[in-house]
Amino acid sequence: MRRLIGIRALVAAASATVGVVAVAPPGYADPSPTPSSASVVRAVEVPETCPEGGAECVDGTISELGERFAGLGRACAHHTTFTLAYLRTTQGFKWGRDQGIFTDNRWVNREGALFAEYYYRAYDDWAAGRRSAVPAAWLAALDAARDRRLTGAGDLMLGMSAHINRDLPYVLAQVGLTRPDGTSRKPDHDRVNQILAELVDPLLAELIARYDPDGFDVGIPPEVVLGLLVSWREQAWRNAVRLTNARNPFTRAIVEFDIESSAVATAAGLATLTSYLPPLTGPGPRAAHCAAHHADPPPVAYPFGVPPAY
């Protein structure tokens, strides 16, 4: 019963991203004099690296994510779970694209490349100590992983929330929500959900086998996780519409503040529910398991096959 209550609370907290104007609790503040994770960083448009939307956009993203994952995974860094999930999702995206799932490959290629740039920018600014440039939701996720405060599921969900709830609305608004003829690109946006549905089970199996068997044993069915991701992606589209329809800088600032503060509130709720509870629980078993198994191959095939460990 206690586990069931915890699961429901986790899903409820993760879903509470709409219209929330809140900041992280004091426990999320960084002890340094630099801005805390409660600070709201105004969105800065990230330059596109693949504006033409060629097939090489996705290949380049897979290569870059693979390099980042390899370094983190071999070090058993807690940032690994999100980066692995991002890599496998992008590989799945390429597979789905090549199956003909999308109607406009150039648009989705362009979107995917820009989406990854938002993650690179946040992580690299954080790693370089440029905390004032890092969005608050990303500070929460990256700091928690650095400090090894959360389970594998917590690290994964904070990263996913920052990237979907915070980054994705800006990416969508930047690449455009409509075709030249005025029709909506929403159908292609929604088709990504079909790919995610194919990835949830093998990804969970790989995360458990290689990195954290206990941290992902939370009793939440994969279809519930998928439903949460789909709801986040739906809200990201709606927030992108709000950004696009903002008629002046003041209106745009209000929308941005809502996006940023909602993402921080979600991070705070997720962190509270997935934190270790010393001395009862801690990162030690996870570290030991990762040291022994991080180089193991994925135990279950993905739709695109069985990728190498690194």
Side-chain angles (χ1 to χ4, degrees):
M1 177 62 71
R2 293 178 63 183
R3 166 172 283 192
L4 180 59
I5 294 172
I7 292 169
R8 288 174 175 170
L10 176 61
V11 174
S15 302
T17 61
V18 183
V20 178
V21 179
V23 297
Y28 252 72
D30 189 81
S32 70
T34 54
S36 74
S37 57
S39 302
V40 174
V41 178
R42 285 297 306 278
V44 176
E45 189 170 280
V46 174
E48 292 194 54
T49 58
C50 209
E52 297 302 318
E56 69 278 4
C57 297
V58 181
D59 293 336
T61 300
I62 290 173
S63 177
E64 176 71 18
L65 287 172
E67 291 180 8
R68 289 173 180 260
F69 162 65
L72 294 169
R74 291 189 174 100
C76 288
H78 279 208
H79 303 94
T80 302
T81 57
F82 171 76
T83 310
L84 171 60
Y86 200 176
L87 172 62
R88 298 293 184 244
T89 300
T90 308
Q91 291 169 319
F93 169 85
K94 178 180 179 179
W95 168 82
R97 181 203 64 190
D98 293 346
Q99 300 302 307
I101 189 173
F102 301 111
T103 61
D104 188 342
N105 285 343
R106 287 194 172 274
W107 182 78
V108 293
N109 289 342
R110 179 185 167 205
E111 177 198 0
L114 179 59
F115 197 25
E117 286 297 321
Y118 272 75
Y119 164 58
Y120 304 154
R121 179 71 61 93
Y123 186 92
D124 292 347
D125 281 341
W126 174 83
R130 296 186 290 267
R131 297 181 64 83
S132 63
V134 182
W138 274 118
L139 274 178
L142 296 169
D143 282 353
R146 176 200 62 196
D147 298 338
R148 299 179 175 239
R149 289 191 278 112
L150 309 181
T151 66
D155 289 321
L156 173 63
M157 294 187 73
L158 260 71
M160 292 169 64
S161 175
H163 205 33
I164 298 173
N165 290 319
R166 190 275 167 187
D167 293 345
L168 187 53
Y170 299 117
V171 172
L172 289 168
Q174 193 169 335
V175 298
L177 304 180
T178 57
R179 299 171 180 271
D181 64 3
T183 57
S184 176
R185 296 191 182 276
K186 182 70 157 44
D188 271 346
H189 174 78
D190 289 342
R191 289 184 179 99
V192 173
N193 298 335
Q194 301 175 33
I195 297 173
L196 294 177
E198 299 289 334
L199 301 178
V200 170
D201 285 337
L203 175 60
L204 181 60
E206 183 174 7
L207 288 166
I208 289 173
R210 297 179 65 187
Y211 293 104
D212 190 5
D214 298 325
F216 289 96
D217 182 21
V218 294
I220 301 178
E223 58 269 22
V224 175
V225 176
L226 177 63
L228 180 62
L229 297 180
V230 170
S231 70
W232 282 355
R233 286 178 44 78
E234 177 65 24
Q235 184 58 35
W237 180 273
R238 294 178 183 178
N239 280 333
V241 172
R242 295 170 65 203
L243 288 169
T244 301
N245 291 339
R247 297 181 178 275
N248 54 62
F250 177 74
T251 304
R252 167 93 182 196
I254 291 175
V255 177
E256 288 184 9
F257 182 81
D258 189 37
I259 292 170
E260 304 286 343
S261 56
S262 294
V264 174
T266 299
L270 289 170
T272 298
L273 292 164
T274 59
S275 294
Y276 291 119
L277 300 173
L280 299 177
T281 60
R286 175 179 175 182
H289 182 87
C290 179
H293 297 285
H294 71 86
D296 293 351
V300 177
Y302 288 84
F304 49 86
V306 179
Y310 293 113

